[in-house]
Amino acid sequence: MLLTVYYMAATWLQSWRLSSMRTKIVQLRKDRGTLLLFKSQEATAQHDSLQVQTVNSTYCCNSGDARIGDLLCYSGNKHGISLFPQLILDTSNWIGVPDKRTLFPIELPGSSMEDLSQEETLHVVIEADFSTFSKQSYASHCQLEEFGVARAWHAQEVLLLLLESNEEQLSKLTASYMANTISIGPGLELLKVLSVEVKGKPCLLLNADSIPAFNPSSRRGTSVRKRAAAATQWQAHVNVLQTFSQAAAQASLLQAPTPIEGHRSAMVVPGSGAGYTPLEEVKPFPSEPEVQ
């Protein structure tokens, strides 16, 4: 009997939290603001002392104009705040995610979410830590499709993924982020979540199948040798992702197809803009043996 009462109370509390967060997200969208979830170095009660410079994201066009609005939620050293004006992300130098299953940038199943109306759709950038590969044994692993569909990515010191989501899914992501240390893919901890307005079209990655990708199954195993081999393979994969992103930046700047350094069988094509070559007219570079 007590367990039943406890379960009912916990279920009601979780439902109330999700409903409350969704209400805040709806209002924030009406006010043309941005939701930012982040983790500070230390838990603090001085929430009004948070500095936007320490939590802002430089990859957004208007990041320098962002100002903190309200503290929407917090738990320990995790904070959810509003930023104004709404941050704008130009995806022209990002790389699009195909609708089919892919291993770039991480294993993704492809689009499974039904098309949303323009009113329902919102976009969210998540930052994931490359360095926590297979180290977050205490983290709660989540499937990205629970919170939206991956549409584009960019590799810097961290992995940036753009999700197409909605208010309900963002509410669930917020609740999960605040309550747990969560990871995606091969153990990459989520560092930051940011709602954005999107402009531009991401680049297209052509002939990516010709490039060896990190095999998620290779990280399985408990022996020191297997773990060391998987870590080496993962670092090589991260280097390839960063090379892809450098090529995307070049393709976006020059508005011309750009080959991948060290992998001339693949290339990046700009997604929009003057001088864009239609996909059907693009001729991939001839395949050549990869250097071992």
Side-chain angles (χ1 to χ4, degrees):
M1 181 65 181
L2 288 177
L3 288 176
T4 301
V5 173
Y6 175 80
Y7 175 78
M8 292 176 61
T11 301
W12 177 86
L13 181 60
Q14 176 69 3
S15 177
W16 176 82
R17 286 175 175 170
L18 288 174
S19 177
S20 176
M21 193 65 231
R22 183 171 183 175
T23 299
K24 293 178 181 179
I25 291 172
V26 170
Q27 186 60 49
L28 189 58
R29 295 188 71 188
K30 291 180 180 178
D31 295 339
R32 302 286 296 167
T34 282
L35 170 66
L36 170 63
L37 307 177
F38 69 100
K39 182 169 63 174
S40 60
Q41 294 299 318
E42 297 179 358
T44 175
Q46 301 297 322
H47 302 295
D48 56 350
S49 67
L50 293 174
Q51 297 296 315
V52 71
Q53 291 86 351
T54 65
V55 298
N56 209 352
S57 299
T58 56
Y59 47 82
C60 290
C61 305
N62 58 339
S63 58
D65 300 328
R67 296 294 180 268
I68 293 178
D70 298 316
L71 177 67
L72 303 177
C73 55
Y74 70 93
S75 176
N77 64 340
K78 294 180 180 179
H79 307 268
I81 62 175
S82 59
L83 296 177
F84 295 94
Q86 184 176 33
L87 294 184
I88 300 173
L89 175 68
D90 185 352
T91 61
S92 299
N93 61 349
W94 287 44
I95 297 176
V97 176
D99 289 334
K100 63 180 182 179
R101 178 182 177 274
T102 181
L103 294 176
F104 293 108
I106 57 176
E107 185 175 19
L108 297 170
S111 176
S112 60
M113 187 172 71
E114 295 182 1
D115 291 336
L116 301 174
S117 68
Q118 192 66 31
E119 292 73 22
E120 294 176 318
T121 301
L122 56 82
H123 292 91
V124 178
V125 174
I126 61 173
E127 296 186 16
D129 190 352
F130 281 131
S131 68
T132 58
F133 162 74
S134 285
K135 295 179 181 178
Q136 298 291 350
S137 58
Y138 57 87
S140 298
H141 188 272
C142 72
Q143 300 295 329
L144 279 178
E145 52 267 32
E146 298 176 22
F147 308 121
V149 176
R151 294 303 189 193
W153 62 272
H154 188 73
Q156 299 178 334
E157 294 81 8
V158 295
L159 174 62
L160 306 175
L161 271 172
L162 176 67
L163 302 183
E164 184 178 284
S165 187
N166 58 33
E167 293 159 357
E168 180 180 358
Q169 289 174 314
L170 181 53
S171 300
K172 292 179 179 178
L173 175 56
T174 300
S176 296
Y177 179 88
M178 299 303 292
N180 307 286
T181 296
I182 57 178
S183 67
I184 61 172
L188 310 188
E189 181 185 349
L190 257 61
L191 301 175
K192 190 183 297 185
V193 178
L194 184 74
S195 65
V196 295
E197 178 182 342
V198 172
K199 72 173 186 177
K201 293 183 179 180
C203 294
L204 305 173
L205 178 59
L206 303 184
N207 208 18
D209 293 342
S210 65
I211 302 176
F214 175 76
N215 183 357
S217 63
S218 66
R219 71 188 182 98
R220 297 171 187 152
T222 57
S223 71
V224 174
R225 184 176 180 180
K226 285 186 176 181
R227 290 200 302 268
T232 300
Q233 293 171 14
W234 173 248
Q235 186 54 55
H237 183 74
V238 171
N239 293 340
V240 168
L241 297 182
Q242 292 170 340
T243 300
F244 285 176
S245 290
Q246 292 167 5
Q250 188 78 354
S252 176
L253 178 65
L254 300 179
Q255 284 299 301
T258 302
I260 307 296
E261 182 180 354
H263 302 278
R264 287 187 59 83
S265 57
M267 64 178 171
V268 175
V269 178
S272 62
Y276 165 58
T277 304
L279 182 59
E280 60 270 15
E281 298 179 13
V282 173
K283 305 298 182 184
F285 290 93
S287 297
E288 59 184 31
E290 302 292 350
V291 178
Q292 299 297 324

